[in-house]
Amino acid sequence: MNIEPSTSKHRYQNHVAVGVVMLFVGVAMAAVQYKVPTILVAVQESFGMDNDLGSWLMSIFTLMTVFFAIPAGALSQKYSPRLLIGMAGILAIAGSLLGAFADLAPVLIVSRAIEGVALCVTTTCGPVVVQKCVRPTKIGTAMGIFGIWGCVGSVVAMLLTPQLYVSQGYVFTWVFFAIVVLVAVVVMFLYIRIPNRSMRGAEPSRFADRKLVASDSHTVVMPARPRYLELFTRDIGLFFAAFLIVNLIFLAVLGYVPTILQLQGMEASFSGFVTTLPMMCSVIISPLCGIISDRFGHSKVLLAVTMLGQAAGAFLLYTSTGVLLWLGAALLGLLGTGAMGLVLTVFIRLLPRPELATIGMGVFATVQGLGQFLGTFLISLLLGADLSNTMLAGIVIVALGVIGSACSLAIRLKS
């Protein structure tokens, strides 16, 4: 019995356009997350919250990712990832509106948890949408564009939130970001079309048996249901170790560098600029790394190099002043931020078969949340209560960066 490929055509969309549209969605969701840090003190005072309770306004996001990423990945097996992102948009809007009209601190924290679930679903399903809509040879470029959504969203929120809060007030600020999410989701539904592709006769993974389904004219090879066991490989394990470290270092920078610089006498607004400047560089560097990856391959080598730049930049931001401080910002921005798109590219190319992207992204987002948690919890222990042990924290960050880079180089990845 002959096995013939399906006659169904693969209708890919323009990789740049898909990357930009999904970037818009991600930025809108990330802006909802990062609308709090720049006005945290004012919000705490309004709701009568102390520092411990106020910290949950951000920490709750990490917990939501850890708990809900794998279920979100499982759901994307049964339902369209585009539909799930649309539902995440509804959750983000609902959470923002609940927070806008909250009058008690617990209600505000619950609203942030709802927004965190929305962000978790977007983190999990966004790359799946890109993977399904873009030609495989252009995945690196598209992921490079989409991969900067967290950085761009944080910059947008940190620049807009203080202005909106001072000029228009708390309620308007929360409603404004809900409207941005609504617009982004509408744009996604208008443009993104996920092809309904029948599977071709690709090589099965060693874990997955494929079924032969006969039709009137030919036999189609149908994939077995994706299983988590297929993700337990040496190379994916090495990747997740590197990916966890990438997130740990980025959160160590975003979470503590502004405060460290302020303790050294730097003005609050300027310390924020030092932190967000590297994130702005990601708009160019992450897509550029994706283009290089598509054209020349060597994604794992690029990831290893960017991780070293990320660690070196973080070390200088933690321990230096003057010229060395700006050198650290340059290393993080011009080299380190390239890791954001590359991690998505490497992971998609590591999967034994494309169908694993659904549950795979659930595990991916869980590791991301764990890395972000460690980037706040572990680094805070190293810094101490007064955030004075910057050299110790910086040395640990460099050591972790070297370990993550070595893990990346050890991956066996087909270019």
Side-chain angles (χ1 to χ4, degrees), residues 47 57 95 98-99 101-114:
F47 284 84
L57 293 178
L98 177 62
F101 299 102
D103 55 1
L104 297 173
V107 177
L108 179 60
I109 292 174
V110 168
S111 77
R112 295 289 287 168
I114 295 171

Side-chain angles (χ1 to χ4, degrees), residues 374-391:
L374 291 175
T376 54
F377 178 74
L378 174 63
I379 299 302
S380 68
L381 294 179
L382 295 173
L383 287 170
D386 57 355
L387 304 184
S388 61
N389 297 326
T390 54
M391 182 59 69

Side-chain angles (χ1 to χ4, degrees), residues 195-227:
N196 182 18
R197 303 178 194 153
S198 298
M199 291 303 301
R200 299 188 176 193
E203 287 291 327
S205 74
R206 64 179 184 146
F207 295 106
D209 298 324
R210 298 195 171 215
K211 300 177 182 179
L212 302 182
V213 181
S215 69
D216 293 338
S217 58
H218 59 270
T219 301
V220 178
V221 180
M222 298 298 292
R225 184 182 181 86
R227 290 178 288 179

Side-chain angles (χ1 to χ4, degrees), residues 70-393:
I70 289 179
L75 283 173
S76 66
Q77 287 186 264
K78 299 181 179 180
Y79 306 101
S80 164
R82 186 185 73 149
L83 175 62
L84 291 175
I85 293 176
M87 296 175 67
I90 295 173
L91 277 178
I93 293 169
S96 293
L97 294 178
L98 177 62
F101 299 102
D103 55 1
L104 297 173
V107 177
L108 179 60
I109 292 174
V110 168
S111 77
R112 295 289 287 168
I114 295 171
E115 293 170 346
V117 174
L119 184 75
C120 170
V121 174
T122 303
T123 302
T124 304
C125 296
V128 179
V129 171
V130 175
Q131 183 244 4
K132 288 179 177 292
C133 294
V134 171
R135 192 175 301 279
T137 56
K138 299 296 183 181
I139 284 287
T141 304
M143 290 297 186
I145 295 171
F146 172 67
I148 62 176
W149 62 271
C151 285
V152 176
S154 67
V155 171
V156 168
M158 289 181 180
L159 291 176
L160 283 181
T161 302
Q163 305 299 324
L164 293 173
Y165 187 82
V166 171
S167 62
Q168 302 296 330
Y170 169 84
V171 173
F172 181 90
T173 303
W174 257 239
V175 173
F176 173 83
F177 286 111
I179 293 173
V180 174
V181 171
L182 175 62
V183 173
V185 170
V186 169
V187 170
M188 180 194 68
F189 274 104
L190 289 176
Y191 181 78
I192 298 295
R193 294 288 183 272
I194 296 180
N196 182 18
R197 303 178 194 153
S198 298
M199 291 303 301
R200 299 188 176 193
E203 287 291 327
S205 74
R206 64 179 184 146
F207 295 106
D209 298 324
R210 298 195 171 215
K211 300 177 182 179
L212 302 182
V213 181
S215 69
D216 293 338
S217 58
H218 59 270
T219 301
V220 178
V221 180
M222 298 298 292
R225 184 182 181 86
R227 290 178 288 179
Y228 285 99
L229 182 62
E230 297 179 69
L231 298 174
F232 285 89
T233 68
R234 167 192 177 275
D235 297 309
I236 292 179
L238 287 169
F239 167 79
F240 279 141
F243 180 52
L244 183 144
I245 292 171
V246 166
N247 285 281
L248 186 156
I249 296 176
F250 270 119
L251 261 292
V253 171
L254 291 172
Y256 291 106
V257 167
T259 305
I260 291 171
L261 295 178
Q262 289 171 38
L263 291 174
Q264 295 172 355
M266 184 176 290
E267 183 183 5
S269 60
F270 197 63
S271 69
F273 174 74
V274 173
T275 308
T276 57
L277 180 61
M279 303 301 108
M280 295 177 186
C281 295
S282 68
V283 174
I284 297 174
I285 302 305
S286 182
L288 179 61
C289 287
I291 293 171
I292 294 172
S293 173
D294 281 339
R295 181 161 296 185
F296 302 107
H298 309 297
S299 300
K300 70 174 188 178
V301 177
L302 284 170
L303 178 58
V305 172
T306 58
M307 289 189 69
L308 291 177
Q310 180 198 32
F315 174 80
L316 291 176
L317 287 171
Y318 264 61
T319 61
S320 305
T321 58
V323 175
L324 289 179
L325 176 70
W326 292 107
L327 176 60
L331 281 172
L332 182 61
L334 299 178
L335 198 57
T337 57
M340 295 174 178
L342 285 171
V343 290
L344 290 167
T345 303
V346 171
F347 183 60
I348 290 297
R349 289 174 176 168
L350 269 178
L351 293 176
R353 55 191 179 110
E355 298 83 9
L356 287 168
T358 51
I359 61 173
M361 285 313 305
V363 180
F364 179 96
T366 301
V367 174
Q368 180 178 18
L370 181 59
Q372 291 177 351
F373 172 75
L374 291 175
T376 54
F377 178 74
L378 174 63
I379 299 302
S380 68
L381 294 179
L382 295 173
L383 287 170
D386 57 355
L387 304 184
S388 61
N389 297 326
T390 54
M391 182 59 69
L392 173 62

